[in-house]
Amino acid sequence: ARMLAQELGGQFGYQIVVENRPGSASNIAAQIVATSPPDGYTFLVTGNSIAINQTMSKDLTYSMDQLRPVAFPARDSHALAVNADSKAHSLADFIALAKDKPVSAAVGGSSSHIVADYVLKVKAKLQAAAVPFQSGQPAMNALLGHQVDILAGPVSEVFAQLKAGRVRALAVSGPQRALALPDVPTLTQSGFPGLEISGWIGLLAPAKTPTDVCAKLNSATNMLVDKPGFNARLRNLGYEPATMTLKDTDAFLANSIATWRRMIVATGLAPQ
C-alpha cells in the first residue's frame, strides 16, 4: 500500500494517505471502504483474506456487492517450508517421513491454515495439525525453534529466512514456480496435479465509484507494475508482479472467492 501510495501520488500530483485499519482479518478495513462515499478518493488495499472471509466469517458487516475490484498488482504463492536441518528435501520426502506419525504445521493466518490443511490433510492424508499463530513472524519463529515440523505461509512472509538459508522451501502453491524461488517446484510438480493456490494483493473501491475513475487507476497501476524499479521491488519482497485489465477483475475476484470456498469446505474448517 505504501509503495502504491508513493508512486501513484507522484504520478497524479497529490498526496495519498495510507491509513492502517487492522482487525477482524481485514474485515474492519473492508467495511470502512464499502460504506465510504464512491467519490474516487477512498480505496482498499487488501490481500486475498477478503476472499476467504466470504466463507470463513459468519457475521460480516459489509457485502462484496458494496465493493468493486480495480487492480491486482501482485500475486503471492504460498510456500511449504521446513527447518534447514530437516531430512526432507522435497514434499515427497516430508510426506514419506511423516506417513506414520502426527505432524504439526505452523500457520500465521487464515490462508496459510487452509493451505496447510488442504495439502497435508486432505490431499496427502497425513495426521497433520495446524498450529495457529497471530501472524507469520511467530509462526516462523516456531519453525526455527523446532517447535513445529513444517510451515505454510505466503512466499513474501518466508522469503527473508529462505534467502538466509535458515529454512528450506519444499513446494510453492501457485500455477508456476515463484519468481523469488525458481528452484522450488510447484505442488503439481511435487505430485499433486491440478493444485494451484495463489494469494494476491488487490485494490478495491466502493461499488458505485465511477468506471472512468476505476479505469484510470487500473491503467496507472498496471503501468507502475511494468516499471522496472517498482517491478524489482515487488520481486525482492517475494511477490509476483501482475497486471490485469479492469474488465477482467470481476471474474478474477469471483473465481478467487469460489476457489477458497471449495478448499475451506473440503478441509471442514468452521466459519468463525
Side-chain angles (χ1 to χ4, degrees), residues 33-48:
V33 175
T35 56
S36 292
D39 54 12
Y41 287 93
T42 303
F43 295 89
L44 172 69
V45 178
T46 185
N48 56 280

Side-chain angles (χ1 to χ4, degrees), residues 53-188:
N53 292 343
Q54 305 315 301
T55 302
M56 286 296 292
S57 296
K58 289 191 295 186
D59 300 314
L60 290 175
T61 56
Y62 67 95
S63 164
M64 288 304 292
D65 292 338
Q66 296 175 273
L67 293 164
R68 65 178 298 179
V70 175
F72 293 95
R75 307 283 176 86
D76 192 9
S77 290
H78 279 68
L80 292 167
V82 293
N83 199 295
D85 60 12
S86 170
K87 294 179 180 178
H89 288 264
S90 68
L91 187 55
D93 287 347
F94 182 84
I95 292 170
L97 291 167
K99 212 61 180 174
D100 298 319
K101 64 176 184 179
V103 297
S104 56
V107 297
S110 57
S111 63
S112 302
H113 195 161
I114 296 162
V115 170
D117 275 10
Y118 192 69
V119 174
L120 301 177
K121 295 173 68 173
V122 176
K123 293 299 182 179
K125 302 190 184 306
L126 295 178
Q127 302 176 60
V131 182
F133 291 87
Q134 193 170 19
S135 65
Q137 187 56 57
M140 176 60 73
N141 291 340
L143 181 67
L144 295 174
H146 297 91
Q147 298 164 18
V148 293
D149 303 301
I150 193 169
L151 174 142
V155 170
S156 59
E157 289 187 3
V158 303
F159 186 56
Q161 297 298 344
L162 291 170
K163 283 182 65 177
R166 301 181 69 187
V167 302
R168 178 186 306 122
L170 304 181
V172 293
S173 67
Q176 294 93 28
R177 295 192 180 203
L179 291 175
L181 305 173
D183 297 327
V184 180
T186 65
L187 289 173
T188 294

